[in-house]
PDB file of all heavy atoms in Angstrom:
ATOM      1  N   VAL A   1     -10.750 -18.473  28.127  1.00 97.00           N
ATOM      2  CA  VAL A   1     -11.157 -19.898  27.882  1.00 97.00           C
ATOM      3  C   VAL A   1     -12.559 -20.092  28.100  1.00 97.00           C
ATOM      4  O   VAL A   1     -13.233 -20.787  27.233  1.00 97.00           O
ATOM      5  CB  VAL A   1     -10.302 -20.814  28.838  1.00 97.00           C
ATOM      6  CG1 VAL A   1     -10.905 -22.159  28.829  1.00 97.00           C
ATOM      7  CG2 VAL A   1      -8.838 -20.773  28.456  1.00 97.00           C
ATOM      8  N   ASP A   2     -13.236 -19.601  29.114  1.00 97.00           N
ATOM      9  CA  ASP A   2     -14.659 -19.842  29.373  1.00 97.00           C
ATOM     10  C   ASP A   2     -15.453 -19.349  28.125  1.00 97.00           C
ATOM     11  O   ASP A   2     -16.371 -19.948  27.764  1.00 97.00           O
ATOM     12  CB  ASP A   2     -15.055 -19.155  30.668  1.00 97.00           C
ATOM     13  CG  ASP A   2     -14.530 -19.880  31.887  1.00 97.00           C
ATOM     14  OD1 ASP A   2     -14.049 -21.041  31.797  1.00 97.00           O
ATOM     15  OD2 ASP A   2     -14.537 -19.262  32.973  1.00 97.00           O
ATOM     16  N   ASP A   3     -15.124 -18.078  27.727  1.00 98.00           N
ATOM     17  CA  ASP A   3     -15.837 -17.524  26.518  1.00 98.00           C
ATOM     18  C   ASP A   3     -15.729 -18.529  25.293  1.00 98.00           C
ATOM     19  O   ASP A   3     -16.658 -18.681  24.586  1.00 98.00           O
ATOM     20  CB  ASP A   3     -15.318 -16.187  26.220  1.00 98.00           C
ATOM     21  CG  ASP A   3     -15.865 -15.090  27.170  1.00 98.00           C
ATOM     22  OD1 ASP A   3     -16.854 -15.369  27.938  1.00 98.00           O
ATOM     23  OD2 ASP A   3     -15.320 -14.023  27.192  1.00 98.00           O
ATOM     24  N   LEU A   4     -14.489 -18.918  25.149  1.00 98.00           N
ATOM     25  CA  LEU A   4     -14.286 -19.864  23.990  1.00 98.00           C
ATOM     26  C   LEU A   4     -15.156 -21.104  24.108  1.00 98.00           C
ATOM     27  O   LEU A   4     -15.755 -21.540  23.185  1.00 98.00           O
ATOM     28  CB  LEU A   4     -12.778 -20.313  23.942  1.00 98.00           C
ATOM     29  CG  LEU A   4     -12.503 -21.419  22.960  1.00 98.00           C
ATOM     30  CD1 LEU A   4     -12.771 -20.971  21.513  1.00 98.00           C
ATOM     31  CD2 LEU A   4     -11.057 -21.839  23.069  1.00 98.00           C
ATOM     32  N   LEU A   5     -15.195 -21.652  25.270  1.00 97.00           N
ATOM     33  CA  LEU A   5     -15.996 -22.991  25.506  1.00 97.00           C
ATOM     34  C   LEU A   5     -17.427 -22.767  25.391  1.00 97.00           C
ATOM     35  O   LEU A   5     -18.200 -23.628  25.001  1.00 97.00           O
ATOM     36  CB  LEU A   5     -15.635 -23.504  26.904  1.00 97.00           C
ATOM     37  CG  LEU A   5     -14.135 -24.052  27.018  1.00 97.00           C
ATOM     38  CD1 LEU A   5     -13.956 -24.511  28.458  1.00 97.00           C
ATOM     39  CD2 LEU A   5     -13.862 -25.176  26.031  1.00 97.00           C
ATOM     40  N   ALA A   6     -17.879 -21.465  25.654  1.00 98.00           N
ATOM     41  CA  ALA A   6     -19.357 -21.181  25.562  1.00 98.00           C
ATOM     42  C   ALA A   6     -19.782 -20.790  24.080  1.00 98.00           C
ATOM     43  O   ALA A   6     -20.954 -20.594  23.892  1.00 98.00           O
ATOM     44  CB  ALA A   6     -19.625 -20.039  26.490  1.00 98.00           C
ATOM     45  N   THR A   7     -18.792 -20.676  23.210  1.00 98.00           N
ATOM     46  CA  THR A   7     -19.117 -20.208  21.867  1.00 98.00           C
ATOM     47  C   THR A   7     -19.623 -21.370  20.986  1.00 98.00           C
ATOM     48  O   THR A   7     -18.995 -22.417  20.960  1.00 98.00           O
ATOM     49  CB  THR A   7     -17.899 -19.555  21.159  1.00 98.00           C
ATOM     50  OG1 THR A   7     -17.478 -18.534  22.004  1.00 98.00           O
ATOM     51  CG2 THR A   7     -18.108 -19.126  19.806  1.00 98.00           C
ATOM     52  N   GLU A   8     -20.687 -21.143  20.221  1.00 98.00           N
ATOM     53  CA  GLU A   8     -21.112 -22.177  19.318  1.00 98.00           C
ATOM     54  C   GLU A   8     -20.487 -21.933  17.916  1.00 98.00           C
ATOM     55  O   GLU A   8     -20.214 -20.701  17.476  1.00 98.00           O
ATOM     56  CB  GLU A   8     -22.622 -22.034  19.202  1.00 98.00           C
ATOM     57  CG  GLU A   8     -23.398 -22.403  20.427  1.00 98.00           C
ATOM     58  CD  GLU A   8     -23.241 -23.917  20.825  1.00 98.00           C
ATOM     59  OE1 GLU A   8     -22.994 -24.684  19.866  1.00 98.00           O
ATOM     60  OE2 GLU A   8     -23.344 -24.181  22.051  1.00 98.00           O
ATOM     61  N   PRO A   9     -20.232 -22.948  17.175  1.00 98.00           N
ATOM     62  CA  PRO A   9     -19.759 -22.687  15.788  1.00 98.00           C
ATOM     63  C   PRO A   9     -20.696 -21.765  14.970  1.00 98.00           C
ATOM     64  O   PRO A   9     -21.828 -21.732  15.170  1.00 98.00           O
ATOM     65  CB  PRO A   9     -19.716 -24.125  15.168  1.00 98.00           C
ATOM     66  CG  PRO A   9     -19.513 -25.061  16.397  1.00 98.00           C
ATOM     67  CD  PRO A   9     -20.395 -24.335  17.426  1.00 98.00           C
ATOM     68  N   SER A  10     -20.072 -21.118  14.018  1.00 98.00           N
ATOM     69  CA  SER A  10     -20.822 -20.109  13.306  1.00 98.00           C
ATOM     70  C   SER A  10     -20.930 -20.491  11.869  1.00 98.00           C
ATOM     71  O   SER A  10     -20.040 -21.212  11.283  1.00 98.00           O
ATOM     72  CB  SER A  10     -20.083 -18.672  13.332  1.00 98.00           C
ATOM     73  OG  SER A  10     -20.617 -17.792  12.395  1.00 98.00           O
ATOM     74  N   ASP A  11     -22.089 -20.157  11.223  1.00 97.00           N
ATOM     75  CA  ASP A  11     -22.233 -20.413   9.779  1.00 97.00           C
ATOM     76  C   ASP A  11     -22.432 -18.988   9.094  1.00 97.00           C
ATOM     77  O   ASP A  11     -22.874 -18.954   7.900  1.00 97.00           O
ATOM     78  CB  ASP A  11     -23.428 -21.304   9.463  1.00 97.00           C
ATOM     79  CG  ASP A  11     -24.790 -20.713  10.039  1.00 97.00           C
ATOM     80  OD1 ASP A  11     -24.815 -19.653  10.517  1.00 97.00           O
ATOM     81  OD2 ASP A  11     -25.808 -21.431   9.748  1.00 97.00           O
ATOM     82  N   ALA A  12     -21.982 -17.943   9.801  1.00 98.00           N
ATOM     83  CA  ALA A  12     -22.157 -16.594   9.200  1.00 98.00           C
ATOM     84  C   ALA A  12     -21.293 -16.361   7.919  1.00 98.00           C
ATOM     85  O   ALA A  12     -20.190 -16.933   7.795  1.00 98.00           O
ATOM     86  CB  ALA A  12     -21.685 -15.556  10.252  1.00 98.00           C
ATOM     87  N   VAL A  13     -21.938 -15.739   7.008  1.00 98.00           N
ATOM     88  CA  VAL A  13     -21.328 -15.470   5.742  1.00 98.00           C
ATOM     89  C   VAL A  13     -20.870 -13.979   5.771  1.00 98.00           C
ATOM     90  O   VAL A  13     -21.668 -13.087   6.133  1.00 98.00           O
ATOM     91  CB  VAL A  13     -22.207 -15.663   4.574  1.00 98.00           C
ATOM     92  CG1 VAL A  13     -21.652 -15.133   3.252  1.00 98.00           C
ATOM     93  CG2 VAL A  13     -22.425 -17.192   4.357  1.00 98.00           C
ATOM     94  N   ARG A  14     -19.658 -13.658   5.390  1.00 98.00           N
ATOM     95  CA  ARG A  14     -19.160 -12.304   5.469  1.00 98.00           C
ATOM     96  C   ARG A  14     -18.396 -12.109   4.129  1.00 98.00           C
ATOM     97  O   ARG A  14     -17.522 -12.825   3.778  1.00 98.00           O
ATOM     98  CB  ARG A  14     -18.286 -11.958   6.643  1.00 98.00           C
ATOM     99  CG  ARG A  14     -19.117 -12.051   7.967  1.00 98.00           C
ATOM    100  CD  ARG A  14     -19.904 -10.823   8.161  1.00 98.00           C
ATOM    101  NE  ARG A  14     -20.734 -10.915   9.328  1.00 98.00           N
ATOM    102  CZ  ARG A  14     -21.980 -11.279   9.428  1.00 98.00           C
ATOM    103  NH1 ARG A  14     -22.665 -11.713   8.284  1.00 98.00           N
ATOM    104  NH2 ARG A  14     -22.650 -11.284  10.581  1.00 98.00           N
ATOM    105  N   LEU A  15     -18.607 -10.930   3.569  1.00 98.00           N
ATOM    106  CA  LEU A  15     -17.916 -10.387   2.318  1.00 98.00           C
ATOM    107  C   LEU A  15     -16.933  -9.378   2.883  1.00 98.00           C
ATOM    108  O   LEU A  15     -17.358  -8.346   3.348  1.00 98.00           O
ATOM    109  CB  LEU A  15     -18.841  -9.897   1.359  1.00 98.00           C
ATOM    110  CG  LEU A  15     -19.442 -10.852   0.325  1.00 98.00           C
ATOM    111  CD1 LEU A  15     -20.207 -12.010   0.994  1.00 98.00           C
ATOM    112  CD2 LEU A  15     -20.248 -10.193  -0.734  1.00 98.00           C
ATOM    113  N   LEU A  16     -15.605  -9.675   2.739  1.00 98.00           N
ATOM    114  CA  LEU A  16     -14.604  -8.773   3.291  1.00 98.00           C
ATOM    115  C   LEU A  16     -13.738  -8.166   2.123  1.00 98.00           C
ATOM    116  O   LEU A  16     -13.754  -8.768   1.061  1.00 98.00           O
ATOM    117  CB  LEU A  16     -13.677  -9.527   4.233  1.00 98.00           C
ATOM    118  CG  LEU A  16     -14.428 -10.174   5.490  1.00 98.00           C
ATOM    119  CD1 LEU A  16     -13.375 -10.830   6.350  1.00 98.00           C
ATOM    120  CD2 LEU A  16     -15.180  -9.178   6.249  1.00 98.00           C
ATOM    121  N   PRO A  17     -13.081  -7.117   2.465  1.00 98.00           N
ATOM    122  CA  PRO A  17     -12.197  -6.499   1.365  1.00 98.00           C
ATOM    123  C   PRO A  17     -10.883  -7.355   1.237  1.00 98.00           C
ATOM    124  O   PRO A  17     -10.493  -8.052   2.229  1.00 98.00           O
ATOM    125  CB  PRO A  17     -11.908  -5.085   1.841  1.00 98.00           C
ATOM    126  CG  PRO A  17     -12.076  -5.284   3.277  1.00 98.00           C
ATOM    127  CD  PRO A  17     -13.129  -6.272   3.545  1.00 98.00           C
ATOM    128  N   GLY A  18     -10.201  -7.159   0.203  1.00 97.00           N
ATOM    129  CA  GLY A  18      -8.866  -7.800  -0.037  1.00 97.00           C
ATOM    130  C   GLY A  18      -7.945  -7.310   1.059  1.00 97.00           C
ATOM    131  O   GLY A  18      -7.954  -6.191   1.534  1.00 97.00           O
ATOM    132  N   HIS A  19      -7.065  -8.257   1.458  1.00 97.00           N
ATOM    133  CA  HIS A  19      -6.019  -8.079   2.492  1.00 97.00           C
ATOM    134  C   HIS A  19      -6.682  -7.560   3.852  1.00 97.00           C
ATOM    135  O   HIS A  19      -6.148  -6.764   4.602  1.00 97.00           O
ATOM    136  CB  HIS A  19      -5.032  -7.013   2.051  1.00 97.00           C
ATOM    137  CG  HIS A  19      -4.021  -7.632   1.081  1.00 97.00           C
ATOM    138  ND1 HIS A  19      -2.779  -6.901   0.721  1.00 97.00           N
ATOM    139  CD2 HIS A  19      -3.886  -8.816   0.576  1.00 97.00           C
ATOM    140  CE1 HIS A  19      -2.150  -7.666  -0.070  1.00 97.00           C
ATOM    141  NE2 HIS A  19      -2.749  -8.901  -0.243  1.00 97.00           N
ATOM    142  N   ASP A  20      -7.870  -8.108   4.060  1.00 98.00           N
ATOM    143  CA  ASP A  20      -8.518  -7.799   5.402  1.00 98.00           C
ATOM    144  C   ASP A  20      -7.703  -8.385   6.559  1.00 98.00           C
ATOM    145  O   ASP A  20      -7.081  -9.464   6.410  1.00 98.00           O
ATOM    146  CB  ASP A  20      -9.931  -8.418   5.319  1.00 98.00           C
ATOM    147  CG  ASP A  20     -10.701  -7.982   6.654  1.00 98.00           C
ATOM    148  OD1 ASP A  20     -11.356  -6.935   6.633  1.00 98.00           O
ATOM    149  OD2 ASP A  20     -10.717  -8.743   7.545  1.00 98.00           O
ATOM    150  N   PRO A  21      -7.780  -7.771   7.753  1.00 98.00           N
ATOM    151  CA  PRO A  21      -7.047  -8.383   8.822  1.00 98.00           C
ATOM    152  C   PRO A  21      -7.460  -9.811   9.202  1.00 98.00           C
ATOM    153  O   PRO A  21      -6.598 -10.531   9.745  1.00 98.00           O
ATOM    154  CB  PRO A  21      -7.455  -7.394   9.921  1.00 98.00           C
ATOM    155  CG  PRO A  21      -7.616  -6.132   9.255  1.00 98.00           C
ATOM    156  CD  PRO A  21      -8.247  -6.432   8.012  1.00 98.00           C
ATOM    157  N   TRP A  22      -8.724 -10.202   8.894  1.00 98.00           N
ATOM    158  CA  TRP A  22      -9.058 -11.560   9.117  1.00 98.00           C
ATOM    159  C   TRP A  22      -8.086 -12.547   8.536  1.00 98.00           C
ATOM    160  O   TRP A  22      -7.790 -13.568   9.061  1.00 98.00           O
ATOM    161  CB  TRP A  22     -10.489 -11.807   8.654  1.00 98.00           C
ATOM    162  CG  TRP A  22     -10.891 -13.215   8.877  1.00 98.00           C
ATOM    163  CD1 TRP A  22     -10.852 -14.277   8.062  1.00 98.00           C
ATOM    164  CD2 TRP A  22     -11.332 -13.707  10.095  1.00 98.00           C
ATOM    165  NE1 TRP A  22     -11.316 -15.428   8.567  1.00 98.00           N
ATOM    166  CE2 TRP A  22     -11.649 -15.160   9.855  1.00 98.00           C
ATOM    167  CE3 TRP A  22     -11.584 -13.298  11.413  1.00 98.00           C
ATOM    168  CZ2 TRP A  22     -12.064 -16.018  10.981  1.00 98.00           C
ATOM    169  CZ3 TRP A  22     -12.061 -14.139  12.407  1.00 98.00           C
ATOM    170  CH2 TRP A  22     -12.395 -15.453  12.147  1.00 98.00           C
ATOM    171  N   VAL A  23      -7.601 -12.253   7.256  1.00 98.00           N
ATOM    172  CA  VAL A  23      -6.811 -13.062   6.534  1.00 98.00           C
ATOM    173  C   VAL A  23      -5.327 -12.803   6.749  1.00 98.00           C
ATOM    174  O   VAL A  23      -4.533 -13.614   6.934  1.00 98.00           O
ATOM    175  CB  VAL A  23      -7.111 -12.925   5.027  1.00 98.00           C
ATOM    176  CG1 VAL A  23      -6.027 -13.598   4.169  1.00 98.00           C
ATOM    177  CG2 VAL A  23      -8.412 -13.429   4.640  1.00 98.00           C
ATOM    178  N   MET A  24      -4.938 -11.534   6.835  1.00 97.00           N
ATOM    179  CA  MET A  24      -3.550 -11.107   7.048  1.00 97.00           C
ATOM    180  C   MET A  24      -3.046 -11.328   8.472  1.00 97.00           C
ATOM    181  O   MET A  24      -1.835 -11.547   8.629  1.00 97.00           O
ATOM    182  CB  MET A  24      -3.482  -9.555   6.653  1.00 97.00           C
ATOM    183  CG  MET A  24      -3.886  -9.309   5.214  1.00 97.00           C
ATOM    184  SD  MET A  24      -3.222 -10.482   3.945  1.00 97.00           S
ATOM    185  CE  MET A  24      -1.438  -9.973   4.034  1.00 97.00           C
ATOM    186  N   GLY A  25      -3.946 -11.304   9.439  1.00 97.00           N
ATOM    187  CA  GLY A  25      -3.529 -11.479  10.759  1.00 97.00           C
ATOM    188  C   GLY A  25      -2.877 -12.850  11.046  1.00 97.00           C
ATOM    189  O   GLY A  25      -1.684 -13.001  11.518  1.00 97.00           O
ATOM    190  N   PRO A  26      -3.594 -13.948  10.699  1.00 97.00           N
ATOM    191  CA  PRO A  26      -2.998 -15.314  10.766  1.00 97.00           C
ATOM    192  C   PRO A  26      -2.039 -15.589   9.581  1.00 97.00           C
ATOM    193  O   PRO A  26      -1.210 -16.519   9.706  1.00 97.00           O
ATOM    194  CB  PRO A  26      -4.134 -16.217  10.820  1.00 97.00           C
ATOM    195  CG  PRO A  26      -5.265 -15.460  10.156  1.00 97.00           C
ATOM    196  CD  PRO A  26      -4.948 -14.071  10.415  1.00 97.00           C
ATOM    197  N   GLY A  27      -2.226 -14.904   8.560  1.00 96.00           N
ATOM    198  CA  GLY A  27      -1.368 -15.112   7.331  1.00 96.00           C
ATOM    199  C   GLY A  27      -2.116 -16.033   6.321  1.00 96.00           C
ATOM    200  O   GLY A  27      -2.855 -16.943   6.699  1.00 96.00           O
ATOM    201  N   THR A  28      -1.785 -15.771   5.080  1.00 97.00           N
ATOM    202  CA  THR A  28      -2.501 -16.584   4.073  1.00 97.00           C
ATOM    203  C   THR A  28      -1.989 -17.990   4.052  1.00 97.00           C
ATOM    204  O   THR A  28      -2.679 -18.863   3.436  1.00 97.00           O
ATOM    205  CB  THR A  28      -2.341 -15.973   2.694  1.00 97.00           C
ATOM    206  OG1 THR A  28      -0.845 -15.920   2.410  1.00 97.00           O
ATOM    207  CG2 THR A  28      -2.920 -14.536   2.563  1.00 97.00           C
ATOM    208  N   GLN A  29      -0.986 -18.318   4.762  1.00 96.00           N
ATOM    209  CA  GLN A  29      -0.473 -19.720   4.796  1.00 96.00           C
ATOM    210  C   GLN A  29      -1.286 -20.550   5.813  1.00 96.00           C
ATOM    211  O   GLN A  29      -1.193 -21.736   5.897  1.00 96.00           O
ATOM    212  CB  GLN A  29       0.964 -19.766   5.118  1.00 96.00           C
ATOM    213  CG  GLN A  29       1.299 -19.472   6.568  1.00 96.00           C
ATOM    214  CD  GLN A  29       1.419 -17.988   6.952  1.00 96.00           C
ATOM    215  OE1 GLN A  29       1.047 -17.180   6.103  1.00 96.00           O
ATOM    216  NE2 GLN A  29       1.877 -17.703   8.048  1.00 96.00           N
TER     217      GLN A  29
END
């Protein structure tokens, strides 16, 4: 929780491969 509260929003741009865990972990829905 403390780390979350200390985090600033990000504007980072990332190009990822298809079916990357970033998308598949939470699900495309």
Side-chain angles (χ1 to χ4, degrees):
V1 169
D2 289 345
D3 283 345
L4 170 65
L5 295 176
T7 300
E8 296 292 333
S10 170
D11 60 0
V13 169
R14 293 289 177 260
L15 274 59
L16 302 180
H19 283 187
D20 187 87
W22 178 265
V23 170
M24 303 310 292
T28 57
Q29 75 277 9

